[in-house]
Amino acid sequence: MKRNIVIAAVTAAALIGGGTATALATSGEDDPGTTSRQADVKGASSDDRDDDADGRGDDRDDDRADTDRAASVKVTAADALAAALKKAPGTAVSAELDDEDDGGDGERAAWEVDVLSGDGTWHSVRIDPASGKVLGSEKDDEDDTDEVRAVLKGTSVDAAEAARAAAGHGTVTGVELDEDGHYGDGEVAWEVETRSSGDDERDWRVDPRTGKVTADRSHDSRSDDDGSDDTGSDDD
């Protein structure tokens, strides 16, 4: 209504003056388009906040699920490695507590152990974390056999010993050989992942020659917050 009154007044003035009048009419009313855009922006921001909250909730749920899974494990990483080597003799290079299809509608935890046999064949062996029984085994094709063998020649601490060395920091949920070094220095190490009852997941590096355990700061940014020293600790 206001906009129509202003336009009518300008038109009358132009007719009376006998000339051409140019006017810029503004209204105190909000532009419907602007109001709609502002509402869209507010709605998007609210959706983003909801998505962030949902994401944090999902992360917390995942952490609790991982902690519960680790707490239910009766077969340690070292025991799982030993069981896998009985099934597929060779050198164990990694072990990870993972989920597998239970054949029904869900999943169950299982140790997944990678073994490099003497003839260069890779084996992936699944171990039941409750009983230590072999759930299955299959051959894998890997193209880094020579590199891994070269690295293993210079080690005196195996995967099981590395897992036991880091076990004092929590339940070991994974161990693997890092032949390249995450610090860019090419330093070989066993990488061990642990989880504590406080949903705290930590990563450790175990020297393959001495068995010394240090905090892996290339993965764990939280290590600065819990009072751990920079050099880690020895557990043996």
Side-chain angles (χ1 to χ4, degrees):
M1 181 64 72
K2 290 181 180 180
R3 185 178 297 106
N4 292 335
I5 293 173
V6 172
I7 293 174
V10 172
T11 302
L15 292 174
I16 294 172
T20 301
T22 302
L24 176 64
T26 60
S27 171
E29 296 178 351
D30 290 334
D31 184 355
T34 301
T35 302
S36 177
R37 287 192 296 273
Q38 291 173 342
D40 289 343
V41 171
K42 291 179 180 178
S45 298
S46 177
D47 289 343
D48 288 343
R49 288 193 294 271
D50 291 342
D51 290 343
D52 289 343
D54 290 341
R56 289 192 294 271
D58 290 342
D59 289 342
R60 286 192 293 269
D61 290 342
D62 290 342
D63 285 342
R64 282 193 291 269
D66 289 342
T67 299
D68 292 342
R69 180 177 59 182
S72 67
V73 170
K74 296 180 175 60
V75 177
T76 66
D79 291 338
L81 287 160
L85 289 174
K86 289 181 180 179
K87 175 65 177 179
T91 302
V93 178
S94 69
E96 181 181 7
L97 186 61
D98 206 349
D99 289 329
E100 67 164 11
D101 191 339
D102 64 2
D105 296 328
E107 294 181 336
R108 62 176 177 180
W111 283 107
E112 190 86 18
V113 182
D114 289 331
V115 178
L116 176 59
S117 66
D119 63 1
T121 303
W122 286 90
H123 298 268
S124 179
V125 185
R126 297 185 304 280
I127 304 297
D128 189 327
S131 66
K133 293 182 178 179
V134 175
L135 299 174
S137 177
E138 60 186 25
K139 294 181 180 180
D140 285 340
D141 294 327
E142 299 287 349
D143 57 6
D144 60 347
T145 301
D146 293 337
E147 291 85 348
V148 171
R149 277 180 167 174
V151 170
L152 290 171
K153 285 182 179 180
T155 66
S156 55
V157 175
D158 62 22
E161 291 170 330
R164 284 192 289 267
H169 297 284
T171 300
V172 174
T173 56
V175 55
E176 65 178 344
L177 180 66
D178 174 22
E179 62 264 32
D180 298 323
H182 278 111
Y183 295 110
D185 53 12
E187 286 294 328
V188 177
W190 289 106
E191 289 189 337
V192 183
E193 180 183 277
T194 64
R195 183 170 285 276
S196 68
S197 58
D199 294 341
D200 185 18
E201 181 181 298
R202 297 291 305 276
D203 293 297
W204 308 91
R205 291 173 69 83
V206 180
D207 191 301
R209 293 170 294 276
T210 66
K212 181 179 181 180
V213 181
T214 57
D216 186 351
R217 296 187 181 280
S218 67
H219 287 172
D220 189 2
S221 61
R222 290 168 295 178
S223 58
D224 291 331
D225 300 328
D226 64 359
S228 298
D229 59 35
D230 291 341
T231 58
S233 61
D234 292 331
D235 293 300
D236 293 343

